[in-house]
Amino acid sequence: MGDVEWAYGLTKDLLASALPRRWAHTQGVAERAETLAPILGADTDTLIAAALLHDIGYAPDLVATGMHQLDGARYLRDVAGAEDRLCRLVAYHSCADNEARERGLLDVLAAEFDAERPDLARALTYCDMTTDPDGRHLDVRDRLAEIHSRYGPEHLVSRSIEASTPCILAAVQAVESALAAKTGDVPG
């Protein structure tokens, strides 16, 4: 079984019943990842698998620190035996270092996981931040507004997203530019 099939089954088991809306988002993120094949080539399956796994840390049985990126990456490393690349992508997805800083977990995150290649990290951020909670494509600025609206202005997730906005916007712009240079189009 390949990484994508394995990631799909694992994530479905963890999220589909417990968090169906999170599962819908996850499937949408994976669909976005498939559209990046023209710029990722052989790394496309790794990105799709990471897209499927990126939010498993929300699964009720996996929550330990409250930081879904870290909780998910730890589960992948310690329980699921996932390859290091997938763990790193999940640990740092969507500029997670800012949330780690807000939670006082930046040193923990950095000690446990190295960052992944910037092009793959940007691609996962692009997929996550252009997919709404129901799995539909949307503009990155609408996604950022949705997150702020869901959590409220004083919540640490809103504060971390505010700090991450330049990183997120740069990631989306870089992926869209790379895709346009390769194909002449941006996935819509």
Side-chain angles (χ1 to χ4, degrees), residues 27-140:
Q27 292 175 90
V29 173
E31 288 170 11
R32 299 292 296 157
E34 291 175 16
T35 70
L36 300 185
I39 60 173
L40 293 178
D43 288 323
T44 302
D45 280 352
T46 298
L47 180 66
I48 295 168
L52 286 163
L53 297 165
H54 83 284
D55 276 354
I56 65 168
Y58 283 114
D61 292 343
L62 274 57
V63 175
T65 67
M67 183 179 162
H68 76 279
Q69 303 94 327
L70 181 58
D71 293 339
R74 282 178 168 174
Y75 176 84
L76 289 171
R77 178 192 63 203
D78 300 340
V79 178
E83 67 175 83
D84 288 343
R85 293 179 87 182
L86 292 174
C87 297
R88 291 190 302 262
L89 284 164
V90 169
Y92 284 96
H93 79 271
S94 300
C95 311
D97 53 321
N98 288 308
E99 184 170 337
R101 192 173 291 106
E102 281 286 331
R103 292 182 182 275
L105 294 170
L106 186 58
D107 291 342
V108 173
L109 178 66
E112 292 190 34
F113 299 97
D114 292 327
E116 182 50 51
R117 274 187 12 218
D119 62 325
L120 285 177
R122 284 190 297 267
L124 184 54
T125 296
Y126 166 84
C127 296
D128 186 23
M129 290 295 151
T130 59
T131 304
D132 78 4
D134 298 309
R136 295 181 301 250
H137 174 64
L138 80 166
D139 180 79
V140 63

Side-chain angles (χ1 to χ4, degrees), residues 137-154:
H137 174 64
L138 80 166
D139 180 79
V140 63
R141 292 191 185 279
D142 293 334
R143 174 76 163 128
L144 293 167
E146 179 276 320
I147 293 168
H148 285 294
S149 173
R150 188 167 17 118
Y151 285 96
E154 299 306 316

Side-chain angles (χ1 to χ4, degrees), residues 163-174:
S164 298
T165 293
C167 169
I168 291 167
L169 293 176
V172 170
Q173 177 59 46

